């Protein structure tokens, strides 16, 4: 990766080695869309605020998750960071540049993957597609070859380098897209749902790969995902956006603490029975012989008492998962009138 360093001319960059310098700085960032609706002559204009007053800083070396329900404004934010969309309010700087005005130059510093789309050439074998990417980003041939060899090994591309992109499976294509995004050794990787639709094995390959490039090369990663496994495995920090506004910015433990989610004891009784009543727990659901108890107290004591009073076939203790926390947070940030 260092081979390329002298080729970049970035007078606005901080001095090399400036650890934990901000790589993204968004201040009061906003994006409105004006929609024209209704029949001709009675057309009305309505403004949708996709992103409103969003401020955050991402520092070099961080892996930050950008979460939120459908339509929250995640992709719109990502598009403003990469220069595809121009903000209608506030400002954003990425790698010292203004994305919408310096899009081409910024493209040489960042890698972008939108999981829903590919940047590869559909009809070309993956290898040729990746060679074209080299020309696009003006990567010297030797540096390209070296990085391609490295990425081929890490992402196990060898078996399908000669396959036309259109014939690749989703997981293979995603590995190809990640390679294309990283061949020019960007300092920042912006990923919008990179694991969407992938099976468990492919997801895990991609997660481990992302951790590796973050740890070994210090690549900063901003990732949007609906897969909370991605978040738990990858992110030191998460930002939650809801209805265009930033609702949370912090570490996973803090996120968990924001929303009280009790541990749940799942009790399988030998036969159906009325809701279990035991001190330190609340039975929240009964389904045939199975009951769910929310624990307010020491599980060991509750388990002992349940086992003493009832004929138990099986017991499972469920830790609060990040999924529960995030969905509670989404619900919590929605105004009361809108809750379902
Ligand atoms: N080009 C556009 N024109 C009009 N409205 C748009 C446009 N792009 C996005 N929006 C609106 O902005 C809001 C935010 O959309 P965005 O795609 O940023 O959400 P998201 O958080 O990425 O959602 P998802 O999880 O479904 O991908 C939505 O209400 C969407 O309809
Ligand atoms: Mg999106």
């Amino acid at each position: 990766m260092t081979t390329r360093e002298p080729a970049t001319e970035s007078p606005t960059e901080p001095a090399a080695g400036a650890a934990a310098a901000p790589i993204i700085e968004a201040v009061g960032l906003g994006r409105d869309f004006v929609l024209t609706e209704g029949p001709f002559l009675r057309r009305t204009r309505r403004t949708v605020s996709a992103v409103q007053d969003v401020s955050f800083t991402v520092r070099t070396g961080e892996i930050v998750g950008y979460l939120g329900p459908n339509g929250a404004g995640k992709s719109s934010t990502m598009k403003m960071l990469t220069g595809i969309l121009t903000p209608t309010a506030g400002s954003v700087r990425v790698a010292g540049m203004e994305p919408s005005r310096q899009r081409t130059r910024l493209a040489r510093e960042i890698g972008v993957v939108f999981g829903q789309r590919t940047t590869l050439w559909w009809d070309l074998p993956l290898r040729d597609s990746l060679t074209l990417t080299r020309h696009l980003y003006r990567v010297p041939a030797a540096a390209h070859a070296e990085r391609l060899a490295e990425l081929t090994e890490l992402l196990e591309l060898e078996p399908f380098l000669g396959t036309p992109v259109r014939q690749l499976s989703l997981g293979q294509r995603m590995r190809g897209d990640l390679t294309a995004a990283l061949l020019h050794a960007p300092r920042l990787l912006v990923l919008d749902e990179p694991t969407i639709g992938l099976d468990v094995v492919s997801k895990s390959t991609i997660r481990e790969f992302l951790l590796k490039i973050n740890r070994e090369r210090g690549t900063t990663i901003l990732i949007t995902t609906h897969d909370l496994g991605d978040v738990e495995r990858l992110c030191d920090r998460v930002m939650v956006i809801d209805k265009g506004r930033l609702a949370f910015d912090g570490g996973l433990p803090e996120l968990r603490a924001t929303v009280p989610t009790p541990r749940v004891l799942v009790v399988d009784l030998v036969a159906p029975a009325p809701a279990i009543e035991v001190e330190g727990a609340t039975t929240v659901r009964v389904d045939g012989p199975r009951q769910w108890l929310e624990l307010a107290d020491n599980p060991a004591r509750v388990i002992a008492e349940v086992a003493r009073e009832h004929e138990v076939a099986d017991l499972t203790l469920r830790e609060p998962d990040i999924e529960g926390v995030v969905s509670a947070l989404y619900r919590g940030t929605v105004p009361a009138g809108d809750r379902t």
Side-chain angles (χ1 to χ4, degrees), residues 265 278-281 293 295-307:
L265 183 68
V278 50
E279 208 185 313
L293 281 69
L295 299 174
D297 205 347
N298 179 359
R301 203 193 52 72
V302 174
I303 290 168
E305 195 172 333
V306 168

Side-chain angles (χ1 to χ4, degrees), residues 198-216:
L198 303 191
D199 67 30
V200 197
V201 177
S202 303
K203 275 182 188 172
S204 151
T205 307
I206 286 181
R207 287 173 190 160
E208 297 316 308
F209 169 75
L210 293 175
L211 276 179
K212 206 172 160 72
I213 59 159
N214 169 260
R215 289 193 182 142
E216 291 177 8

Side-chain angles (χ1 to χ4, degrees), residues 33 35 48 50 68-77 116 192-193 226:
F33 290 106
L35 305 177
V48 177
N70 289 131
K74 302 179 297 293
S75 296
S76 301
T77 308
Q116 313 265 29
D192 194 347
E193 303 196 39
H226 288 288

